[in-house]
Amino acid sequence: MLAPPSGAAEFGGGFDGIGEAAGMTLTLTQSEKRVVGRFTTPGGTGYTLNGERADVYEGSAQGALRAVGADNDGAFFHIEERPLGLQFLFIPAGADGTPDLGSAREYSFLKRGVRPTITAEEEKRYRPAPSEPVDILVFLDGFRGWSPSDTARLYAQLDDRNRGLILLYDHATAELMWRICEAAPAEASLEAIRLAEMQERQHTECTAYLQLVEAARNGGLFPEFLRRSQFQLELVRATVLCDRRETAAARCADVSALGAPLILRWRRAEAIMGGLVPADQRVAAQPTAETEEAIPEEAPSGTGLAVPPEIQGPVPLARPGGNPSTAEGEFVSDFEPDVAATQAREAANYRLPLARPR
């Protein structure tokens, strides 16, 4: 009876921006209903947060933002809890000092430390891998620390259902194919068979793909690729737990709402990696890789706050890939084109789903 109510958890800890919020950070602390913290943009502009929840366990909070060093509040915020993080609404102040909702921008944040990621810059320290087949949750937790050969072996030993679940997500598949290609499994081995199945769907082979990966790792967007892959792998984990009835039904509905549009937005690994290759290397590395440059967006007008340039544009970092409708063969979906196009637009920035009706 003394346990806290189910539903919203305490707002606390660090969060990293994903999608168009890449490079942003958010730190929160909650005391009773009060929520305070710090919001930082990619350009280094910092804001202090001061707000509260309507109730201690309410799934949202709101309040004021004040630029570091300023004397008065210059913006407002609204936060809503999500299955893997939270949704953050940045609301500039109008000329009269009231919230200008028409100029508000929404960003998605993933809870920091949900699962550690290994970036391209970190030295690889392979950990011993199990000798026997492992559960999919053990695989998701461990494959980034295992050698490519161990990753290939244990992936090949997953059952068809679990392998198929991973392959529904494009960035997760792109990362696994990179690591398994590095293992160069022997012909006719189970690992080689599983890799061939993956490549058949991707319409590529390891030599060309590894060249693209190497070029992508030399660019500045590869850590963002790893974050997106990790985000999708966390959805796989959440789906497995839901399937095993180890997660509340309401939370599973949120996970399903978040995963469905990403599955519809599935793209080939070559297209994803091609979008990560620096512009001056794209043609040489892979002539067919699709690219798309971020189109600057006009700054909000009529606001009383000078919104930093890094949060005016739609995407602080160039989004991997491009418009699937302009690159034949890069967009793959088992659904009707009109449905896929609608869901793709919703998934492009990794927007988390709306809060559940209460």
Side-chain angles (χ1 to χ4, degrees), residues 295-334:
I295 301 175
E297 183 175 300
E298 292 184 2
S301 59
T303 65
L305 174 71
V307 183
E310 58 269 19
I311 66 173
Q312 288 181 6
V315 253
L317 294 177
R319 179 169 61 83
N323 184 348
S325 65
T326 62
E328 183 178 359
E330 303 297 0
F331 180 80
V332 178
S333 174
D334 295 330

Side-chain angles (χ1 to χ4, degrees), residues 149-169:
S149 58
D150 284 333
T151 297
R153 172 175 58 84
L154 292 170
Y155 169 79
Q157 293 171 350
L158 293 175
D159 61 36
D160 292 345
R161 178 186 177 90
N162 287 325
R163 289 198 320 278
L165 179 58
I166 295 173
L167 296 179
L168 287 174
Y169 293 93

Side-chain angles (χ1 to χ4, degrees), residues 26-27 35-40 45-51 63-70 72-75 77 88:
L26 186 62
T27 305
V35 177
V36 297
R38 184 182 178 91
F39 167 61
T40 306
T45 303
Y47 295 86
T48 57
L49 291 84
N50 190 356
L65 286 164
R66 178 178 297 184
V68 175
N72 301 307
D73 298 333
F77 72 89
F88 181 85

Side-chain angles (χ1 to χ4, degrees), residues 8-24:
E10 179 177 299
F11 281 135
F15 300 82
D16 293 315
I18 58 174
E20 68 177 53
M24 297 181 182

